[in-house]
Amino acid sequence: MVETPQCNSSFLRPTFFTLMGIPGLGGARAWLTFMFGPMYLLALLGNGALLTVVRTDPTLHQPMFLLLATLAATDLGLATSVAPELLAVLGLGPRPVPYAAYLVQMFFVHALTAVESGVLFAMACDHAVAVGRPLHYPVLVTKARVGYAALALALKAVAIVVPFPLLVARFEHFCAKTIRHAYCAHMAVVELVAGNTRANNLYGLALSLAVSGVDILGITGSYGLIAQAVLRLPTREARAKAFGTCSSHICVILAFYVPGLFSYLTHRFGRHTVPKPVHILLSNVYLLLPPALNPLIYGARTKQIRDRLLEMFTFRKGQF
């Protein structure tokens, strides 16, 4: 758990916090801007194109593609909740952030991360039904059920993340107002509190285990069922086709959870061995890399979307 530093003196809650960005990497700010800027642009263009394709093509109004559109919308929101502030800090230096704005960004970052994890779980369940029970798929997985699932994920994220800003808002005294981070993270401000932060530490740990832990177990179980179904297929061609159906999703899962778990473990258990700049850099990569990669992965490996994107860009090119 994160321990609150001992304060020689404290002051009342500040009107502004100052985001420092990535401390210790000041000389590399230009390179980091050139790294994160294109990632954000790719997230905007890629996810925007996916949403446009799914929205405008009636043949893609199917559960699998509606889940993909939900993931794209979540990626778009997640990248936008982090990247503008990050790029501003890297380009202009430390920036003051109003206290209320800090709490709002904190809520959206954590809520959208929880939604993305839930969508990946829902997509794993969708693939498990498609591969394991293909004849029952149209009955078990419908557009209405996808809509209910998306609504449930959004409501769940709001319900479990709202306590974060509320738990922070109860603190009246702080040791400092300079935050060594590039976006408004919950534990980054808790480290500055002068007082007992045990409730925040415990809730943060419980939420990480309850959300990511449950979703990872669910995804693992879904792919266990998929593996059993694939191994029962009679031919190698059928097994390769079934695996190809899930390969894009597996890449997306790895892009989201591998840097996320590494960032979480270094924050919780490697604070004295992993330098602070490395941890902050990884946390930003964790939030911006999946939104940038997901549209490329699905656009390149999903034939219907790839063909529709090519048609759309060819048509627009022919207009000029």
Side-chain angles (χ1 to χ4, degrees):
M1 291 186 183
V2 176
E3 297 178 358
T4 304
Q6 296 297 321
C7 297
N8 295 324
S9 62
S10 64
F11 49 85
L12 290 176
R13 177 194 302 159
T15 305
F16 292 85
F17 287 115
T18 301
L19 289 178
M20 295 298 295
I22 304 176
L25 297 179
R29 282 198 295 184
W31 291 105
L32 293 173
T33 302
F34 283 120
M35 179 178 73
F36 288 120
M39 288 172 65
Y40 180 46
L41 182 61
L42 188 58
L44 290 179
L45 296 178
N47 290 293
L50 277 178
L51 287 171
T52 301
V53 166
V54 174
R55 180 177 179 274
T56 57
D57 190 345
T59 63
L60 299 181
H61 294 177
Q62 304 172 27
M64 180 180 73
F65 297 108
L66 293 177
L67 283 171
L68 177 56
T70 304
L71 180 66
T74 306
D75 281 337
L76 203 57
L78 183 60
T80 301
S81 67
V82 174
E85 193 70 47
L86 168 64
L87 294 175
V89 171
L90 291 176
L92 303 175
R95 285 173 52 82
V97 178
Y99 180 79
Y102 189 100
L103 296 182
V104 170
Q105 188 190 33
M106 178 198 304
F107 169 79
F108 279 105
V109 168
H110 291 289
L112 289 169
T113 303
V115 171
E116 176 133 354
S117 181
V119 172
L120 293 178
F121 178 27
M123 294 175 76
C125 295
D126 174 76
H127 288 312
V129 176
V131 174
R133 303 183 66 180
L135 298 178
H136 298 88
Y137 181 84
V139 177
L140 295 175
V141 184
T142 64
K143 290 190 288 186
R145 289 180 177 175
V146 169
Y148 292 142
L151 178 60
L153 289 174
L155 293 176
K156 183 193 76 170
V158 170
I160 63 179
V161 174
V162 160
F164 272 152
L166 294 180
L167 285 170
V168 171
R170 68 191 175 95
F171 294 121
E172 294 292 339
H173 294 85
F174 290 80
C175 300
K177 61 179 180 180
T178 300
I179 296 177
R180 299 172 63 198
H181 220 295
Y183 65 89
C184 304
H186 171 244
M187 296 311 298
V189 70
V190 170
E191 293 176 353
L192 308 182
V193 171
N196 188 351
T197 62
R198 184 177 180 81
N200 295 70
N201 295 330
L202 290 176
Y203 190 77
L205 178 60
L207 185 60
S208 298
L209 294 176
V211 175
S212 297
V214 170
D215 290 342
I216 290 173
L217 288 176
I219 290 171
T220 303
S222 297
Y223 274 94
L225 297 175
I226 290 172
Q228 291 180 357
V230 169
L231 291 175
R232 288 198 298 264
L233 295 175
T235 65
R236 179 179 296 179
E237 291 76 12
R239 291 193 290 270
K241 183 179 179 180
F243 178 75
T245 303
C246 306
S247 58
S248 299
H249 188 237
I250 293 173
C251 294
V252 170
I253 290 171
L254 294 176
F256 180 74
Y257 282 111
V258 170
L261 286 174
F262 188 77
S263 176
Y264 173 81
L265 291 174
T266 56
H267 182 68
R268 289 286 177 180
F269 306 109
R271 296 178 64 242
H272 301 294
T273 56
V274 178
K276 185 75 170 180
V278 174
H279 166 68
I280 296 175
L281 181 63
L282 286 174
S283 66
N284 285 279
V285 170
Y286 159 58
L287 294 176
L288 287 176
L289 183 63
L293 287 183
N294 291 351
L296 290 179
I297 294 172
Y298 279 109
R301 300 188 65 87
T302 306
K303 185 179 185 302
Q304 296 95 319
I305 292 177
R306 184 173 65 247
D307 293 345
R308 187 65 184 89
L309 284 171
L310 289 174
E311 290 176 7
M312 183 175 68
F313 287 119
T314 302
F315 174 75
R316 289 188 176 181
K317 184 178 179 181
Q319 289 182 323
F320 295 95

